Amino acid sequence: MRFRKIAAVVGAVAVMGVSVVGASASPVAVAAKPTVVLVHGAFADGSSWNGVIERLQRDGYDVVAPAVPLRELASDSAYVADVVRSVGGPVVLVGHSYGGAVISQVAAQVPGVKALVYAAAFIPVAGESLGQLNAQFPGSLLGPDTTRTVGGDLYVKKESFRAVFAGDRSARDAAVMAAAQRPVVGAVLGEAAAATAPASVPDYAIVATEDKAIPADAERFMARRAGAWTVEVRSAHDLPVSHPEVVASVIEKAARGR
């Protein structure tokens, strides 16, 4: 695991509480923890965050993992923005894969976002499409040979799913994930982002160095351009499933603001 911008041990998790100084001191007030909103990407669903959710809940965080419709970037972002508004209070938005593009749009629409965390995710700027970003860098296996279209919906072929999406999983586990995958409308890859995430919101990024869906160099480029605090992990694309402990630790770092 290699760190950028800040030398830190990602695995360290700080537990927030009250501090008492001396026998007569009063407890020091601690700000409420932000709610964490986890946004899955294409070919996945909210269950892909299960390992991350367990760790965050154990550490006292409220967590919401909405079912993203996966219809188009504009409408998916509007839906997640409504979820965020319903939460109330500060939130940390976390996106995996296509979910990164969604949280960028949501942060531009909804005030009160404390931080953005991108886990093997797209970080587009206004006017960019996801297909355009992927095409700029070699290494993605996602394409006509590994996908199929049904009624306008894009699926990863079952025989290609492990190589493209779940390289860290056993063949059996990858086959289960492939069978349960949720498709995305194929046209979404060509849809331009309407907004860039606000520069005032801190960005955190986790680069999956063995990613075969979004090239690792694309993830590095987008994280660097966004000025994100960045950590690299030897992982396939399904980072939240493969390395939930790392993802949860970075989320908690973002929630603490350091």
Side-chain angles (χ1 to χ4, degrees), residues 157-171:
K157 293 178 180 177
K158 291 181 180 181
E159 62 270 24
S160 302
F161 195 88
R162 187 182 186 199
V164 173
F165 198 91
D168 295 333
R169 308 262 56 79
S170 67

Side-chain angles (χ1 to χ4, degrees), residues 11 32-33 49 58 73-74 76 103 106 114 239:
K33 293 179 178 179
W49 295 108
R58 178 197 64 198
L73 183 56
D76 289 343
I103 67 170
V106 173
K114 180 179 177 66
L239 179 63

Side-chain angles (χ1 to χ4, degrees), residues 70-71 149 151-155 183-191:
L70 302 179
R71 298 297 85 188
T149 302
D153 282 348
L154 191 69
Y155 291 83
V184 64
V185 172
V188 79
L189 296 177
E191 183 182 357

Side-chain angles (χ1 to χ4, degrees), residues 32-38 61-64 87-93 114 255:
K33 293 179 178 179
T35 298
V36 178
V37 178
L38 304 170
Y61 288 89
D62 286 331
V63 184
V64 179
V87 168
V91 300
V92 172
L93 282 174
K114 180 179 177 66

Side-chain angles (χ1 to χ4, degrees), residues 24-214:
S24 61
S26 300
V28 176
V30 177
K33 293 179 178 179
T35 298
V36 178
V37 178
L38 304 170
V39 181
H40 66 81
F43 318 118
D45 60 24
S47 68
S48 62
W49 295 108
N50 283 355
V52 177
I53 292 170
E54 290 172 2
R55 287 163 174 78
L56 293 175
Q57 289 180 336
R58 178 197 64 198
D59 293 337
Y61 288 89
D62 286 331
V63 184
V64 179
V68 182
L70 302 179
R71 298 297 85 188
E72 61 178 5
L73 183 56
S75 62
D76 289 343
S77 302
Y79 172 77
V80 175
D82 284 343
V83 171
V84 172
R85 292 186 188 99
S86 75
V87 168
V91 300
V92 172
L93 282 174
V94 187
H96 171 236
S97 190
Y98 167 68
V102 173
I103 67 170
S104 294
Q105 306 309 293
V106 173
Q109 299 175 44
V110 182
V113 176
K114 180 179 177 66
L116 296 165
V117 180
Y118 298 91
F122 288 106
I123 316 176
V125 299
E128 281 182 334
S129 72
L130 309 190
Q132 173 187 345
L133 284 165
N134 245 22
Q136 289 181 32
F137 300 88
S140 177
L141 297 180
L142 194 64
D145 292 338
T146 59
T147 59
R148 64 189 182 94
T149 302
V150 180
D153 282 348
L154 191 69
Y155 291 83
V156 178
K157 293 178 180 177
K158 291 181 180 181
E159 62 270 24
S160 302
F161 195 88
R162 187 182 186 199
V164 173
F165 198 91
D168 295 333
R169 308 262 56 79
S170 67
R172 178 180 296 179
D173 287 347
V176 172
M177 295 172 69
Q181 68 179 290
R182 288 189 57 213
V184 64
V185 172
V188 79
L189 296 177
E191 183 182 357
T196 303
S200 58
V201 180
D203 294 329
Y204 298 74
I206 310 171
V207 172
T209 63
E210 308 307 305
D211 200 328
K212 301 304 180 186
I214 305 174

